[in-house]
Amino acid sequence: MRQDITDVQQALSQKVIGKSHQLKLAITCLLANGHLLIEDLPGMGKTTLSHALSQVFGLHYSRIQFTSDLLPSDMLGVNIFHSHESDESKRFSFRHGPIFSQVVLADELNRASPKTQSALLEAMEERQVSIDGVTHSLPTPFFVIATQNPSNQSGTYPLPESQLDRFFMRISLGYPAWEAEKAMLLQKDASTPLKKMLSEADLCQMQRDVSAVHASDAIIHYILRLVSESRESNDYPNPLSPRASRALLQGSKAWAFVSGKDYVTPEDVQAVFVAITAHRLTLSSHQLTHSQRSSAINGEKLSQKLLDSVDPLAA
């Protein structure tokens, strides 16, 4: 791995112990200029991970707690009327909402109403918001880390497939191993902020360098074969979209870059494939049976099955 990325991952490992693969995926998602969805039970370290990422990159951070009564204006911002102003051009001023941050934690996204969910996902896609006909650009870089509880928990509004497709990657932290949890319990400085290790300019340059990583025709054909298989086979009720194929290419480039390479190999595609495609292939809520525990598990099984069905040498 690149030494600067290795240093960042080691710093993050002080906060999220024993999850090196998930941390590398999160860094990959950030460098690929995508957005990250974390699905897990409460208390698994989702908030800790997002805050730690913003600290090591020196980015402005905000957290939005999504609840059933959260309105889009609470998140995006609102125009304030100043009745004492005689100048009509100054009677309204825009008060920015918490979405105007470089790293935004959308905590428990699936507890908010579909209207509020849609407002966030539009901001993620367009990287701007429109309030009363006026467009406001969001900061650069702009990275959303959304968390959602398992859909079988009460009070949740599952994200529809078209909105899940907007997330570049989905990961799950899961329970820590025995030794990792023991180390966490023995920590004495768990609340100490991490030091800034890279600048905003460094991150933007890395994102540009990721786009410059070389992907041969053979790699692109491998990605296209995987995507085509999901569309041609009846085993996958939600085939991968062109957005997914672009995410696979960009994610593979980012993984190769993080690994210290300037070219993509089939192993790079395979390393990010499940994280990028599982939430896109996942079954709809009405397609799940009672014996199936969560859409995340089904999506991972489908994704792994699709990956195993295509030989990179034959593609």
Side-chain angles (χ1 to χ4, degrees), residues 86-105:
S86 57
D87 187 350
E88 289 190 6
S89 63
K90 298 181 179 179
R91 285 199 171 183
F92 287 92
S93 65
F94 180 64
R95 178 173 295 175
H96 292 76
I99 193 71
F100 286 87
S101 296
Q102 293 171 311
V103 177
V104 178
L105 172 62

Side-chain angles (χ1 to χ4, degrees), residues 235-251:
D235 294 337
Y236 310 102
N238 297 309
L240 296 175
S241 68
R243 184 186 286 119
S245 59
R246 291 179 64 90
L248 277 171
L249 178 59
Q250 190 70 2

Side-chain angles (χ1 to χ4, degrees), residues 157-183:
Y157 298 85
L159 293 174
E161 293 83 351
S162 59
Q163 294 184 2
L164 281 172
D165 193 39
R166 308 265 174 154
F167 283 98
F168 186 89
M169 186 180 289
R170 183 184 70 184
I171 65 173
S172 177
L173 296 176
Y175 290 109
W178 176 285
E179 290 301 324
E181 191 161 7
K182 179 181 177 180

